[in-house]
Amino acid sequence: MRWLFAFTVATALSAVAPAQRAGGSAYAQQAQALRELQYQVQTLAARFDAIEQRQASLSARIATLERGSGNSGLATKDEVAALRTDLASVRTAQGRLRDEIVEDLTARIATIAKRQEQARAAEAKERQAAQRSGYSHTVEAGQTLSAIAQAYKVSVKAIMRANNITDPTKLQVGQTLFIPDP
C-alpha cells in the first residue's frame, strides 16, 4: 500500500510542475488538488492498514487454535471455521478497498492531468498573445538576456516566456530572439 501512496504523490507532483511554471491560480488549484489527494490517499492507506492488521490478527488466532487444539473438540473446530469465514470476509473487504483506491486515484490523477493540460493551453495562449507584436533580435557576443531586456525595456521573464527559454544563461551567439512589445 505504501508504494501506491509514493507513486500517487510522485505522479501528482509531476502533474503540478507545469502549472507551477505557469504561475497564478492554475498553480494554486493544482497545489490544492495535490493536498486533497494526499489527504485522501493517507485516509485510504490507514483503512487499508487496519484491514491488514485485522487479517494478520485473525490468521495468528487461527494458527494458535489449530496448534493448541489438536482433536480437543467440536467447539474449537467451530471457532476455527468461524475465524476462517471472518478472515475470508476481511480479505474480500481488502480487495474491494484496493479496487476503490486504484479507481479513485486513477480518476484523481486524470483530473490533475486535465488541469495540467489546461494550464499548458493557457500558457501557450499567453505566449501567442505576447508574440503578436514585437521585435526580432539576434544575440551578439557578450550579450546577456538582462542586457537585451533592458535595451528593449522589457522584462527578462517576458523574453524567456516568448522564446521558451528555461535557462537565461545559455544564450548563443547568433540566436534569434523574439522580443515582445513592452
Side-chain angles (χ1 to χ4, degrees):
M1 183 60 204
R2 296 293 173 204
W3 68 267
L4 187 57
F5 176 69
F7 170 77
T8 301
V9 171
T11 303
L13 284 172
S14 69
V16 171
Q20 184 176 11
R21 284 194 309 270
S25 66
Y27 172 68
Q29 289 173 353
Q30 292 290 342
Q32 180 61 31
L34 176 60
R35 283 190 296 276
E36 289 173 10
L37 179 62
Q38 286 174 321
Y39 173 76
Q40 289 177 350
V41 167
Q42 289 171 342
T43 301
L44 290 171
R47 285 178 55 198
F48 196 81
D49 288 347
I51 289 173
E52 284 182 333
Q53 288 174 358
R54 174 87 170 128
Q55 182 179 346
S57 172
L58 289 171
S59 293
R61 192 155 175 221
I62 288 170
T64 300
L65 286 172
E66 286 178 334
R67 277 193 310 270
S69 68
N71 291 329
S72 67
L74 188 57
T76 304
K77 287 181 183 178
D78 288 343
E79 190 175 0
V80 169
L83 287 172
R84 287 185 185 207
T85 300
D86 195 17
L87 181 59
S89 70
V90 167
R91 286 183 176 146
T92 300
Q94 184 181 29
R96 280 194 308 262
L97 182 58
R98 184 178 24 254
D99 293 346
E100 178 186 331
I101 290 169
V102 169
E103 187 178 305
D104 185 53
L105 292 178
T106 301
R108 291 188 179 279
I109 289 170
T111 299
I112 290 172
K114 182 178 178 182
R115 287 180 184 163
Q116 173 187 10
E117 189 56 39
Q118 289 170 344
R120 282 186 190 146
E123 187 177 334
K125 191 174 183 179
E126 186 178 307
R127 270 196 312 269
Q128 277 182 338
Q131 290 183 356
R132 291 200 176 133
S133 62
Y135 309 93
S136 179
H137 177 85
T138 303
V139 177
E140 297 174 6
Q143 285 188 316
T144 64
L145 196 55
S146 60
I148 295 168
Q150 188 175 13
Y152 286 93
K153 295 180 172 61
V154 178
S155 72
V156 171
K157 189 174 183 177
I159 296 173
M160 289 177 64
R161 197 173 332 132
N163 293 280
N164 288 331
I165 296 173
T166 56
D167 185 352
T169 64
K170 294 192 178 180
L171 290 183
Q172 297 179 0
V173 173
Q175 178 180 1
T176 301
L177 298 175
F178 176 79
I179 312 297
D181 283 333

